[in-house]
């Protein structure tokens, strides 16, 4: 299973050197390439469209200051795309983060913390574990891996490398993988009370997908008081289930504890009431960990974020992952993309017509 790593320039590579070293350490097959969204847009788009045919299962795009590379890549492929925002001089990475994080609904992008190679590496391992036909590592091994992430000679890395080598020899095509389509939805209790319209949207999205795709959803509500029991239950009973988390945007996000404690694949979205303004200092504090790992489990975010109030994109990003082996879901995403395109074209025609009428009236 091969992944692509794309950057807009060679200078961006320095921001992900730890990721490259860790992927080499465990033997993950990847291609590193420079594809500028601004200087080589046609080449960047063409390469994004060819990813699936070339056998890739994932694209990791480094998001520079203007950060157009990840989003444009995500718009041109059905494969999941990760964005690693770069730490910038003038804005501390907030520019890279926001332009990646707030993608329009319908074009999902999985965003990692700023300059965070370690969380990205762990998410990639979780993805490979999820897509494999057997368990590469369970929750107990994952917890040990998190604690030994900076011990390069750890036997854990060697064992994962051996498992990945077995996997690549035994299976040649993604269609042979058996992926669980059981999805756990964790909803912060505060959302129901403070963001009722978004809560209804979450439930409606779940119902629609359940009817259209037959996916099994399990909905749990959580708060700080019951989170430990909930995590224990998931660890014991749902090794292969993927998890979607909708959490109210607050000063003490629980997502870190959730994603660092579980070997499961985790996709996350913050939810905020329409009347509330985002606190950018808080957002930057959450996403800019500056790789200071005094307490590893509290600083790693091995999950992806799909934006603030981007309910649809949270579901769609996970569907992109499942679609790597599920033709029914892949066709659903293809049709979804066509419907989005038709809507934009229709709006464009309506705007042109209104403009002509208005020009005629004011002659």
């Amino acid at each position: 299973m091969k992944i692509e790593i794309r950057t807009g320039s060679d200078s961006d590579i320095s921001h992900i050197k730890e990721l490259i070293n860790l992927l080499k350490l465990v033997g993950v097959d990847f291609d590193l390439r420079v594809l500028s969204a601004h200087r080589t847009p046609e080449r960047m788009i063409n390469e994004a469209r060819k990813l699936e045919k070339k056998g890739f299962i994932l694209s990791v795009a480094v998001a520079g200051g203007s950060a157009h590379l990840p989003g444009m890549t995500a718009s041109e492929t059905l494969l999941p795309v990760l964005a690693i925002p770069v730490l910038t001089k003038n804005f501390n990475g907030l520019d890279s983060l926001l332009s990646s994080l707030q993608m329009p609904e319908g074009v999902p992008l999985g965003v990692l913390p700023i300059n965070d190679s370690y969380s990205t590496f762990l998410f990639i391992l979780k993805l490979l574990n999820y897509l494999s036909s057997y368990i590469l590592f369970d929750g107990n091994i994952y917890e040990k891996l998190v604690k030994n992430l900076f011990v390069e000679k750890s036997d854990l890395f060697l064992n994962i490398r051996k498992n990945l080598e077995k996997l690549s020899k035994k299976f040649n095509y993604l269609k042979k993988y058996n992926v669980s389509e059981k999805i756990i939805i964790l909803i912060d209790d505060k959302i129901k009370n403070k963001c009722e319209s978004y809560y209804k949207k979450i439930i409606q999205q779940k119902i629609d997908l359940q009817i259209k795709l037959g996916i099994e959803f399990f909905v749990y509500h959580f708060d700080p008081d019951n989170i430990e029991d909930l995590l224990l239950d998931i660890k014991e009973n749902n090794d292969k289930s993927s998890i979607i988390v909708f959490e109210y945007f607050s000063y003490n996000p629980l997502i870190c504890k959730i994603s660092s404690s579980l070997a499961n694949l985790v996709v996350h979205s913050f939810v905020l009431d329409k009347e509330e303004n985002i606190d950018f200092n808080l957002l930057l504090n959450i996403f800019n960990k500056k790789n200071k790992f005094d307490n590893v489990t509290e600083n790693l975010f091995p999950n992806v974020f799909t934006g603030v109030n981007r309910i649809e994109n949270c579901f769609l990003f996970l569907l992109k992952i499942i679609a790597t082996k599920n033709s029914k879901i892949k066709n659903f995403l293809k049709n979804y993309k066509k419907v989005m395109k038709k809507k934009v074209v229709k709006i464009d025609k309506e705007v042109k017509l209104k403009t002509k009428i208005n020009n005629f009236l004011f002659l």
Side-chain angles (χ1 to χ4, degrees), residues 32 51 76 182 194 209 298 309 329:
L32 177 62
L51 283 170
E76 295 293 342
K182 293 181 179 180
K194 297 188 176 187
L209 292 175
E298 287 187 7
N309 295 342
I329 293 178

Side-chain angles (χ1 to χ4, degrees), residues 130 179-185 205-218 242 244 315 318-320 322-323 326 328-329 332:
Y130 176 74
V179 177
S180 166
E181 291 172 18
K182 293 181 179 180
I183 298 173
I184 296 171
I185 304 177
Q205 189 79 22
K206 171 245 177 189
I207 292 170
D208 289 347
L209 292 175
Q210 199 161 349
I211 292 170
K212 290 175 184 175
L213 301 175
I215 293 174
E216 271 191 277
F217 286 98
F218 303 89
S242 52
I244 294 176
F315 287 94
L318 188 53
L319 290 182
K320 274 194 167 189
I322 301 173
N326 188 307
K328 183 179 180 180
I329 293 178
F332 169 80

